[in-house]
Amino acid sequence: MAKGLTKRSVDYSQWYNELVAKADLAENSAVRGCMVIKPYGYAIWEKMQQELDRMFKETGHENAYFPLFIPKSFLSKEADHVEGFAKECAVVTHYRLKNDPDGKGVVVDPEAKLEEELIVRPTSETIIWNTYKNWIQSYRDLPIKCNQWANVVRWEMRTRLFLRTAEFLWQEGHTAHATKQEAIEETQTMIQIYADFAQNFMAVPVVQGVKTANERFAGALDTYTIEALMQDGKALQSGTSHFLGQNFAKAFDVKFATKEGNEDYVWASSWGVSTRLMGALIMAHSDDHGLVLPPKLAPIQVAIVPIYRSEEDLAKITEKVDVVVANLKKRGISVKFDDSDNRKPGWKFAQYELKGVPVRLAVGMRDLENGTVEVARRDTLTKEVVNMDGVDEYVADLLEQIQETIYQKALDFRAEKTTPVETFEEFKSVLEEKGGFILAHWDGTSETEQKIKEETKATIRCIPLEGDKTSGVCVYSGKPSEQRVLFAKAY
RNA sequence: CGGGGUGUAGCGCAGUCCGGUUAGCGCACCUGGUUUGGGACCAGGGGGUCGGGAGUUCGAAUCUCUCCACCCCGACCA
């Protein structure tokens, strides 16, 4: 048991907070609501970025960069968009400070007021569509498929490391298309990429679906989402992809000449995932001993701990371990040989467990005599002694197994915590006693959705794309329902 | 932004009610030694604007006012 780490069963959110701190992922900063992502946490984010970036480029996207600041007037050009974001915008009003005439420090120079105030981007649709206007004249200029890796600011009242911070890192893709169909296909392609990434790299199973009107992105016609289930039974929206129709093209007057010689507004999509994925990763797999990382995203995949009495012993062990390290690296496995002498092996074992390192090798004099290595896997906390010869191949296989095992475990957990219900009584009791995802019929109205939210605090996470499509009657109103939708309490 | 709680060494805390030596303990850190197969032990040592500011007082970590930060629960949200 990790010293000082609160058990999940005692206080889940405290467990999360302590884990983020103790595993050296992130910490609160001097700026309210803003986090410092520490090197170990950032290394995981970099691994996510690398893979996503590769997937974006494989599907024909290019990276670009747009400004941090957005003129205030841009935001208000799309009515729903400004409505959605206005309440959480940071605003730049001045461009200069001066010495405080009354004494120490500096004050805002009232002489230096901006003619037009600037919004710190909460998202970049407006500045990008203002720019795209200049890039697009003809259907030959389309499609445009840009992505940017950036920070955004949404002035949240209550924040939690990774899950909701006032500033966060993300990528936002913004595409422009000649046809509605193509824009819809792009929107769907990207949500599929997010789902693939979540499942194959993060080992987090997700439900793909469409958001209801209430939960839709401000300015979108349709929002596709991937929803993941955390160990406390709450849902986490982990990625979204929006079909924007011609809303932003109309707001920013972006027209193009069609093949037929007509003029038409451009069709748009946008899509993003953020450092919130870190929260999903942490809460999906980790246990009371600490972080559990999927091998594909672990900054250190293998930690090697030497066990020795004398310097001579260490030298002998190091000689053997160097070969193992070289062989592992040849296979593209990231490995850390921890020969620091200021910690005992037991401390190191606990530390690498806390940090979620998938595989730990221990090598002592006993192993040198027997030609063996002790192999411990983080996900099951089991240990085996194997031959040192060929341990690199053994570890390579094991890493794949761990990736698969933790995905399967998360999938089983979700299956167990997904409950179809037929009545509102059942809905409430399942939500109360079991939590998790609830599949229920819904009459399709915002009123019913709102009522259910008020009475139970559960929201419609999405209308799933896959699964049971049979019709029924709404659990709340008794009116006809086309298919079951996914309810849960959410982060 | 409402309700509750907490701010004392890098971390975790005691001391605050009832003001009074030099502000203390555990972990961490430094030095030396013994250790090393699941969070080692002994000895010595360093480290403090007691969250900030203002006030009361001969004297404030302690009392008063005020501001700030963080945590939990709500409302809001990726």
Side-chain angles (χ1 to χ4, degrees):
Chain A
M1 190 63 51
K3 269 186 186 168
L5 186 60
T6 299
K7 289 185 187 179
R8 288 166 296 176
S9 57
V10 173
D11 186 337
Y12 191 83
S13 69
Q14 198 181 338
W15 166 83
Y16 175 83
N17 292 337
E18 288 178 4
L19 181 50
V20 169
K22 286 174 190 289
D24 274 333
L25 301 176
E27 60 191 32
N28 279 308
S29 71
V31 185
R32 184 198 188 98
C34 295
M35 64 180 160
V36 172
I37 304 175
K38 298 179 78 176
Y40 191 64
Y42 200 81
I44 299 170
W45 174 240
E46 282 181 314
K47 288 225 147 195
M48 291 183 174
Q49 281 185 300
Q50 261 172 31
E51 188 52 37
L52 285 165
D53 203 61
R54 189 188 64 73
M55 293 169 108
F56 298 158
K57 284 172 180 161
E58 235 170 44
T59 45
H61 301 88
E62 298 174 296
N63 284 334
Y65 188 78
F66 296 86
L68 171 66
F69 301 118
I70 296 174
K72 194 177 74 177
S73 59
F74 282 23
L75 205 70
S76 48
K77 288 196 179 184
E78 211 289 330
D80 291 334
H81 192 67
V82 66
E83 165 89 18
F85 285 107
K87 286 168 291 185
E88 48 187 21
C89 285
V91 186
V92 179
T93 56
H94 293 74
Y95 58 86
R96 194 198 296 144
L97 300 172
K98 63 174 188 178
N99 288 326
D100 187 347
D102 296 334
K104 46 196 171 179
V106 288
V107 292
V108 172
D109 186 347
E111 302 290 305
K113 198 166 171 21
L114 287 174
E115 205 151 296
E116 179 173 6
E117 290 152 344
L118 297 170
I119 311 299
V120 181
R121 64 180 165 218
T123 180
S124 301
E125 274 77 6
T126 58
I127 186 74
I128 285 177
W129 280 88
N130 175 267
T131 307
Y132 279 2
K133 176 182 167 61
N134 302 323
W135 293 2
I136 299 166
Q137 277 88 41
S138 132
Y139 73 94
R140 294 181 194 277
D141 297 322
L142 297 171
I144 293 174
K145 303 208 286 182
C146 280
N147 174 65
Q148 80 167 342
W149 290 96
N151 58 339
V152 287
V153 168
R154 296 179 188 177
W155 213 261
E156 300 291 348
M157 290 179 193
R158 221 180 123 193
T159 59
R160 289 192 73 191
L161 292 173
F162 292 123
L163 298 174
R164 178 167 300 105
T165 46
E167 179 193 19
F168 56 94
L169 305 184
W170 77 345
Q171 56 71 215
E172 48 181 324
H174 296 271
T175 67
H177 306 268
T179 66
K180 178 180 181 180
Q181 187 53 34
E182 198 182 303
I184 290 174
E185 279 168 17
E186 168 76 8
T187 310
Q188 292 168 342
T189 298
M190 296 322 289
I191 202 68
Q192 184 62 50
I193 282 179
Y194 289 155
D196 289 347
F197 173 75
Q199 299 186 168
N200 297 330
F201 287 83
M202 296 173 64
V204 174
V206 291
V207 176
Q208 282 185 65
V210 180
K211 287 288 187 186
T212 62
N214 283 344
E215 302 276 333
R216 202 177 280 155
F217 175 76
L221 297 187
D222 259 320
T223 288
Y224 291 76
T225 179
I226 52 171
E227 298 285 327
L229 184 63
M230 303 295 100
Q231 291 180 54
D232 62 347
K234 286 168 81 173
L236 184 72
Q237 179 176 307
S238 304
T240 48
S241 181
H242 315 292
F243 169 56
L244 302 173
Q246 293 173 310
N247 287 353
F248 285 90
K250 285 176 180 165
F252 288 88
D253 194 34
V254 188
K255 292 181 214 167
F256 71 105
T258 66
K259 209 169 192 171
E260 295 76 29
N262 302 317
E263 195 174 56
D264 196 6
Y265 286 109
V266 175
W267 297 85
S269 89
S270 70
W271 28 273
V273 292
S274 71
T275 38
R276 180 177 247 203
L277 287 178
M278 293 287 294
L281 189 68
I282 296 160
M283 288 197 289
H285 306 306
S286 303
D287 61 22
D288 291 344
H289 294 259
L291 206 56
V292 174
L293 291 174
K296 286 184 182 176
L297 295 179
I300 300 168
Q301 293 171 307
V302 180
I304 305 179
V305 177
I307 296 150
Y308 60 95
R309 289 165 200 275
S310 63
E311 287 298 313
E312 294 73 45
D313 289 354
L314 177 60
K316 285 178 196 161
I317 291 165
T318 301
E319 195 182 325
K320 292 289 183 185
V321 166
D322 282 347
V323 177
V324 174
V325 168
N327 287 338
L328 287 169
K329 281 186 177 165
K330 253 182 240 165
R331 291 174 180 272
I333 294 167
S334 58
V335 50
K336 177 176 173 179
F337 176 41
D338 187 353
D339 61 352
S340 59
D341 64 353
N342 57 337
R343 297 292 187 190
K344 290 188 62 180
W347 191 91
K348 293 177 184 176
F349 294 170
Q351 190 64 14
Y352 290 117
E353 274 164 18
L354 194 53
K355 290 196 152 196
V357 174
V359 172
R360 184 187 72 235
L361 306 182
V363 183
M365 295 313 286
R366 198 192 303 158
D367 292 302
L368 292 198
E369 283 161 27
N370 301 334
T372 57
V373 178
E374 184 191 82
V375 182
R377 56 188 282 184
R378 176 63 185 90
D379 60 333
T380 56
L381 293 167
T382 51
K383 291 192 278 201
E384 283 184 273
V385 175
V386 307
N387 284 329
M388 192 178 288
D389 287 339
V391 72
D392 53 309
E393 186 178 356
Y394 181 88
V395 167
D397 289 346
L398 186 57
L399 288 170
E400 281 178 32
Q401 264 182 54
I402 293 171
Q403 182 80 31
E404 179 53 34
T405 302
I406 62 176
Y407 175 70
Q408 194 59 46
K409 191 178 168 195
L411 194 60
D412 292 346
F413 175 80
R414 189 184 71 179
E416 196 268 315
K417 289 276 189 182
T418 302
T419 316
V421 304
E422 309 307 325
T423 67
F424 195 51
E425 284 311 307
E426 202 185 342
F427 184 106
K428 286 187 284 192
S429 73
V430 168
L431 193 68
E432 181 77 15
E433 286 152 31
K434 183 176 170 189
F437 285 155
I438 294 177
L439 286 165
H441 281 289
W442 165 62
D443 62 20
T445 67
S446 287
E447 293 72 36
T448 298
E449 183 182 12
Q450 198 59 36
K451 283 265 167 35
I452 293 175
K453 184 179 176 181
E454 281 163 20
E455 290 179 39
T456 67
K457 285 170 187 146
T459 50
I460 299 177
R461 303 319 304 154
C462 69
I463 303 158
L465 297 178
E466 312 232 307
D468 186 7
K469 299 281 184 187
T470 53
S471 59
V473 294
C474 177
V475 284
Y476 192 83
S477 66
K479 291 178 189 161
S481 152
E482 286 175 21
Q483 72 166 89
R484 287 173 193 272
V485 299
L486 191 70
F487 283 90
K489 286 186 189 169
Y491 272 97

